[in-house]
Amino acid sequence: MARIVDVAALAGVSTATVSRVLNGKPVRADLEAAVRRAVDELGYSPNRTARSLRRQHSEVLALVLPDIENPFFTSLARGVEDVAQESGLSVVLCNTDEDPDKQEQYLQIAEDENMVGVILAPAGRSPLLARLVERDRAVVIVDRAVPDDVDQVTFDNLELGRRATQSLIDRGYTRIACVTGPEETPTAVARAQAWRETLESAGLPAPDDLLVHANFRVDGGQSAMTELLELSSPPDAVLATNNLVGVGALRVLAATERGDVGLGIIGDLPFVTSSVDNVSLLQLRPREMGLTAARMLVERIRGDAGPARRVVQPTLPVTLGSPGT
Amino acid sequence: MARIVDVAALAGVSTATVSRVLNGKPVRADLEAAVRRAVDELGYSPNRTARSLRRQHSEVLALVLPDIENPFFTSLARGVEDVAQESGLSVVLCNTDEDPDKQEQYLQIAEDENMVGVILAPAGRSPLLARLVERDRAVVIVDRAVPDDVDQVTFDNLELGRRATQSLIDRGYTRIACVTGPEETPTAVARAQAWRETLESAGLPAPDDLLVHANFRVDGGQSAMTELLELSSPPDAVLATNNLVGVGALRVLAATERGDVGLGIIGDLPFVTSSVDNVSLLQLRPREMGLTAARMLVERIRGDAGPARRVVQPTLPVTLGSPGT
DNA sequence: TTGTACGCGTTATCAC
DNA sequence: GTGATAACGCGTACAA
C-alpha cells in the first residue's frame, strides 16, 4: 500500500505538504497539483489508523442498540447512517441484546478505538457512560432517557400511552388491557403508567391482571395476548406498547379469528401483512429520531460545547389502519 | 487515560513486560501479578488504535450489506455478530443501499482502517474486492455469488426456485406468475430462471408477462402483485422470490381479499401478522449463513491459507404456513 | 509557504 | 525472561 512518503517522493515535496493538501490547508498551486497527480497515480488513500492515532479520534461513530433485529432500531440506524454518510463518518453498529454487560463492553471498545462519538439506546445503567460524558466525549442518548447530563432524543412516553389508550376508549371499548415491556425498560413502564391513568380518568377499570409485562418481542406479545384472552373476564381491547408486541398480538388475533378484540399499537409495523383497518396505530418515526440524534452528535463533534439538550420527538396523532411504509 | 507506560511504572517493570502479560506471553509469575494489579488499579485498557497501527490490522470486521432494513440481512448480521463476539471481534455494519459506489467506499474504508476482514453481500461488480482478494485479505462473500476466487456462502438458487415453483404446481395451480428482483441481482435471476424451467418441465405456460422484475422490497412486491392481478388473464398463483416481495404480495392479497390466489415465498417472514396457512414457504436460515460465513472468516484470520471454499447452504423443504419465528 | 523532526501508544526485535 | 528501542503512518510544532 502506498504511504504518504511515496506520494511525497513522487511529487517531489515533503510529507508535510502532502498532508496539508489532503487536509485542505493552503499550499502553492503547482505543488498542490503535483501532489494530486501523485495521489491519483499511486491510488493513495491515507491510513486511517495512523491518522486516528495522531488525531486522537477516528472518523467512526458507535451506534449501540439493544436489538438490531427490531425494525424500530434498524430504521433508527438507517437515519443515523444517512447523516453520518453526509458528514464523512462511518457507523459501527453494536448489538447489546439488552445486556448491560455487553453494553459496557461496546462502550469500552468505542473508547479504546478512539471513536469520535457514541449514539446509545441504553439498556440499564452504565457507569462507563457517565465517564464518557464527564470526559466530554460526544454522546447522544436515544429512545430511553437517562438521568445523566447528556444530549438526549426521546419520546413523550406518557403522551404516547395516553393517546393510544384514549383512542381505544373513543372507539367504545371499556375493558382495555395493556401489554408492555419489562419493568427495567423505562419506556415500557411510562407507557403502561399512562394507560392506567387514562383509564382511571375515564372512570374505567385498570386492574392488575389486565397489565402484562412481557418481553418487548414478538413471542412476548403472543404469549401475553394468549394469556389475556384466557382470563375469566377477558379484555375487549388491548394496548400493545411497542411494535413487536403488537405483531405478536396481531398474530394471536389472526390465528384465533378474534377480530372483535380491539387493538392499539405504539410503534410502526413495517412488514405487517394483514389488514389493520381496525387497529389504532401510533407511529414513532424512528428514522427521524436517528437523523436528529446524528445531527446533534455531528454538531458536538464540530465543537459545539453548549449545555446538554433534551429533544422530545413530536407525538403524532393516532391513525386507523395505515401501517408504516 | 492510562497508557501502557503508566502501568509499567506502577508495576515497576518495562512496557515490554506489560505488553507480554496482556498478550499472554510467558512472564515471571510475580511480575505478572504486579502488572495485573497495576492494570486493575488504573483501570487500564489498551488503546486499540495504536495496537492496530502496530499490528497492521484491527480487531474489527466489516459486514457490508445491501439493505440493513431487510430482516434477511439483519438476521444474517446477527449470526455474524454472535460468532464475532465469541472470537473477540467487533463488527462494523455498512449499508450499501444496493449502490456499487457506496460499496466501493466502504471496502476502501475497510482497507484504510486495517480491518481484519470483510464479509460482503455484493451489489454489482467490485474492482476493489478483486484487489483485496489478491492481497490475501480475509474476505467472505455471502448470499450472492461472484466469479472471483474467494470464500463464498450462497444458496442453491436454482433449487430454491424449483422447489417453490413445484410446490405451487403440486397444489394444483396452473397459471403461475413470478415476481423477482432486478436483473442485476443474480439470486433474483436464477430463481426466476428456475421458475420458468420448472413450469416448462411440467408442461405449463411461462409467458413473459407473468414474470415481473420488481425491486426486492415491499413496495416492489405490492406494485408487481397489483399489476399481475390486473392482467387480462391473471395468474392463479404467484411465486415471490424474496421475503419483502412476499410481504408486498401478501398485503395486496389481504387488501383485495383474493385469498383464492396461491402464493409461494422464498425467504422468511419474521413479522408477518396474517395467517399463512395457505402459503408455500421456503425458509432460508440467514442466521446460519451469517454463522457459517463468520466462522470461515475467523479461520482465515487465524491463518488458514487453503484454497477458496464455496459453501452452499442446504435447501430446506417447502412448508405450508409456518412463518419464521 | 515549506520542510524537518517529533510524538501519538503499542508491539516486536534485539541484546542482555 | 526481561528491558531498551525502533518501528507502524500520519499530523503538526517549530524552524527556516
Side-chain angles (χ1 to χ4, degrees), chain A residues 157-166 168-169 174-180 183 187-213 228 238-241 266:
Chain A
N157 289 296
L158 290 174
E159 180 64 14
L160 289 174
R162 271 184 232 119
R163 287 210 193 172
T165 309
Q166 190 61 50
L168 290 171
I169 296 174
T174 55
R175 191 167 170 78
I176 301 172
C178 176
V179 183
T180 193
E183 319 221 25
T187 54
V189 173
R191 293 172 192 176
Q193 182 191 335
W195 160 81
R196 167 154 288 149
E197 290 171 3
T198 308
L199 287 186
E200 287 172 352
S201 306
L204 293 172
D208 284 343
D209 64 346
L210 288 191
L211 174 58
V212 185
H213 286 278
L228 284 170
V238 174
L239 172 66
T241 66
I266 298 176

Side-chain angles (χ1 to χ4, degrees), chain B residues 14 16-17 20 27-28 31 54 56:
Chain B
S14 72
T17 299
R20 285 193 267 262
V27 163
R28 224 174 57 213
L31 293 189
R54 178 61 229 221
Q56 301 289 48

Side-chain angles (χ1 to χ4, degrees), chain B residues 218-240:
Chain B
V218 176
D219 61 322
Q222 276 178 300
S223 44
M225 193 69 187
T226 307
E227 185 182 317
L228 283 170
L229 291 180
E230 284 168 355
L231 285 179
S232 53
S233 47
D236 61 359
V238 175
L239 171 65

Side-chain angles (χ1 to χ4, degrees), chain B residues 222-289:
Chain B
Q222 276 178 300
S223 44
M225 193 69 187
T226 307
E227 185 182 317
L228 283 170
L229 291 180
E230 284 168 355
L231 285 179
S232 53
S233 47
D236 61 359
V238 175
L239 171 65
T241 66
N242 97 336
N243 57 349
L244 298 191
V245 165
V247 168
L250 274 171
R251 264 196 207 166
V252 172
L253 294 184
T256 58
E257 302 193 335
R258 289 295 303 272
D260 58 302
V261 178
L263 191 57
I265 301 177
I266 299 176
D268 303 83
L269 303 174
F271 304 117
V272 71
T273 50
S274 49
S275 155
V276 284
D277 297 343
N278 198 29
V279 180
S280 296
L281 293 175
L282 192 33
Q283 300 194 327
L284 294 180
R285 301 196 164 281
R287 183 167 182 281
E288 314 303 318
M289 176 170 267

Side-chain angles (χ1 to χ4, degrees), chain B residues 34-96:
Chain B
V35 168
R36 296 213 181 282
R37 211 172 315 124
V39 165
D40 279 355
E41 187 155 336
L42 296 173
Y44 168 78
S45 74
N47 180 313
R48 299 163 81 112
T49 306
R51 171 178 282 178
S52 304
L53 180 60
R54 178 61 229 221
R55 290 200 185 155
Q56 301 289 48
H57 67 83
S58 70
E59 316 273 25
V60 176
L61 70 85
L63 176 57
V64 186
L65 300 176
D67 180 8
I68 199 197
E69 294 187 89
N70 183 334
F72 173 86
F73 289 114
T74 58
S75 250
L76 193 156
R78 189 53 204 274
V80 169
E81 220 206 11
D82 288 348
V83 172
Q85 175 97 7
E86 278 174 21
S87 315
L89 302 174
S90 340
V91 178
V92 187
L93 203 55
C94 311
N95 192 44
T96 64

